[in-house]
Structure formats: structure tokens, C-alpha cells
């Protein structure tokens, strides 16, 4: 069997031709060798052996995992930068989804659950802005709608309602802030992972306040 290979040792193809025919089939930038062994470029490469640096079919060392590429400079398996980047992006996307879910987890305030979503916080802010502009309850205002469909009890005065609504906002923002801190910590944790296996094993579900 004739094996055509690159100078670095990567086997690019093989052909069942004679050694006399090989020089007429070699392409620019290729070398060739003859061997009785029948191997695949998935399992072997060409190493230069001995003082004479004889091209010799050589089996790859054991591959440590699916996410490694063979480095023909060092003749060792190294973490695939392409696969590492792809898995890192995947885990970062999963982390952001986890963060988004956690920060919107409903909080209990005076026995009412309120989802700390951007929309809810915007609604509360709108009520506060309208009431402060009027220095009174906005017309028809009957309390906030909670996550379970109920309504909050309207306070005796607008001033008291302002305090009440601000306390809800603060509780939501505290939860969101703590989730943000946990999110940053997980980002650092993923950034510290240098292998695909470490990235896949990293637990993004721990350490959240809710």
C-alpha cells in the first residue's frame, strides 16, 4: 500500500499501487511511503524515525476524549480550539437562560407572589409615575395584579401606597441583584474551564439565591 502524506506527517490518502507508480501520483507538497500495513489516517500518521528519519507509519496515542485534535507539531492530542469555543458558547447561552429564569422567579410580598420581570417592574414604575404626577391615586387604580391573579390591598393614602410599591420594587431588585452577582460568578467559573469536559461538567444551577 502506498501512503501519501504531508511533511508534518498527516496521511492524506492511500492507494493500492506499486512503488514504481507512486512518483507519478504524488501531488505537490506530498511525500509517499510504501508499507505492507493497511491502516487509516484516523488511526495512524507518519513519523520520522531514527537518525536517518525514515518515514514510518505510527499509531496515534490514545485519544483522551472526543473534543481533541492531534497536533502534528508536538505529536500529542490537544484540546480542539474550535470545539472548545463552540461548547463554551453553548454553556454561556445556557447560563444566560438560567439567569433570566432565576431573576424573574416570583417573590412573596405580603403573601402575594410577584414575578420580578422587566414588564412587572415597568408597570409598577408607571403606576408610581402617574400617582406622583397627580399626587393622588390614578383614576380606577385598584391595586397591583399579582402572579396568582389576585390584587394587592390599596393603602389608605397615596403616600402610603408609594411606600408600599417602592418596597415591592426594592424586593424585586434585591433578588435581581443577587441573581446578577451569581450570574457573574458563573461566568467567571466557565471562563476558568480550559477543557470541553470541564465546561460540560460545570454546574450552572448551583449558587443562585432562588
Amino acid at each position: 500500500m502506498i501512503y501519501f502524506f504531508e511533511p508534518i506527517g498527516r496521511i492524506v490518502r492511500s492507494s493500492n499501487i506499486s512503488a514504481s507508480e507512486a512518483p507519478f501520483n504524488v501531488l505537490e507538497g506530498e511525500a509517499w511511503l510504501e508499507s505492507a500495513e493497511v491502516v487509516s489516517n484516523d488511526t495512524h500518521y507518519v513519523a520520522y524515525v531514527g537518525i536517518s528519519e525514515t518515514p514510518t507509519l505510527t499509531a496515534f496515542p490514545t485519544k483522551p476524549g472526543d473534543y481533541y485534535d492531534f497536533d502534528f507539531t508536538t505529536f500529542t492530542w490537544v484540546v480542539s480550539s474550535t470545539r472548545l469555543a463552540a461548547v463554551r458558547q453553548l454553556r454561556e447561552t445556557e447560563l444566560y437562560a438560567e439567569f433570566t429564569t432565576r431573576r424573574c422567579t416570583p417573590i412573596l410580598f405580603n403573601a402575594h407572589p410577584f414575578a420580578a420581570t422587566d414588564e412587572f417592574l415597568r408597570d409598577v414604575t408607571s403606576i408610581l409615575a402617574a400617582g406622583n404626577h397627580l399626587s393622588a391615586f390614578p383614576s380606577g387604580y385598584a391595586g397591583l395584579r399579582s402572579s396568582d391573579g389576585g390584587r394587592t390591598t390599596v393603602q389608605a393614602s397615596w403616600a402610603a401606597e408609594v411606600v408600599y410599591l417602592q418596597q415591592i420594587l426594592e424586593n424585586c431588585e434585591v433578588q435581581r441583584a443577587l441573581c446578577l452577582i451569581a450570574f457573574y460568578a458563573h461566568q467567571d467559573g466557565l471562563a476558568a474551564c480550559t477543557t470541553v469536559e470541564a465546561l460540560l461538567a460545570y454546574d450552572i444551577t448551583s449558587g443562585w439565591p432562588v
Side-chain angles (χ1 to χ4, degrees):
M1 183 70 71
I2 302 298
Y3 295 91
F4 299 93
F5 59 95
E6 298 173 346
I8 59 173
R10 180 187 289 112
I11 298 172
V12 291
R13 57 198 174 90
S14 60
S15 180
N16 193 21
I17 59 177
S18 67
S20 61
E21 295 176 283
F24 302 102
N25 287 270
V26 68
L27 301 178
E28 184 177 355
E30 291 180 347
W32 63 275
L33 65 81
E34 183 181 26
S35 175
E37 292 185 79
V38 178
V39 300
S40 165
N41 59 1
D42 290 329
T43 60
H44 285 69
Y45 67 100
V46 175
Y48 298 89
V49 177
I51 297 176
S52 60
E53 295 190 339
T54 304
T56 305
L57 291 176
T58 305
F60 287 125
T62 302
K63 191 174 182 178
D66 293 333
Y67 304 100
Y68 289 78
D69 290 331
F70 192 72
D71 186 334
F72 287 91
T73 302
T74 61
F75 301 106
T76 58
W77 292 102
V78 296
V79 176
S80 166
S81 58
T82 301
R83 294 185 181 94
L84 181 65
V87 174
R88 187 180 302 283
Q89 183 176 20
L90 173 64
R91 295 312 321 269
E92 288 173 349
T93 299
E94 292 174 344
L95 172 60
Y96 187 76
E98 186 76 16
F99 168 58
T100 301
T101 299
R102 298 279 185 167
R103 73 197 293 260
C104 295
T105 300
I107 65 167
L108 280 177
F109 187 80
N110 289 349
H112 292 281
F114 295 98
T117 62
D118 293 339
E119 182 180 16
F120 174 72
L121 297 185
R122 185 178 63 247
D123 291 346
V124 177
T125 301
S126 296
I127 294 295
L128 281 168
N132 289 335
H133 175 74
L134 299 169
S135 297
F137 290 106
S139 177
Y141 177 70
L144 291 175
R145 181 77 67 188
S146 58
S147 300
D148 61 2
R151 291 265 201 153
T152 58
T153 301
V154 177
Q155 305 302 301
S157 66
W158 174 246
E161 187 71 12
V162 167
V163 172
Y164 184 80
L165 296 179
Q166 287 178 336
Q167 288 175 340
I168 294 177
L169 282 177
E170 288 174 4
N171 277 265
C172 289
E173 293 293 7
V174 166
Q175 174 173 288
R176 287 158 68 101
L178 294 176
C179 285
L180 180 63
I181 292 170
F183 174 64
Y184 286 161
H186 280 304
Q187 283 185 315
D188 292 341
L190 289 176
C193 295
T194 58
T195 66
V196 172
E197 289 83 356
L199 282 168
L200 293 175
Y202 185 87
D203 184 8
I204 63 171
T205 64
S206 65
W208 299 93
V210 289

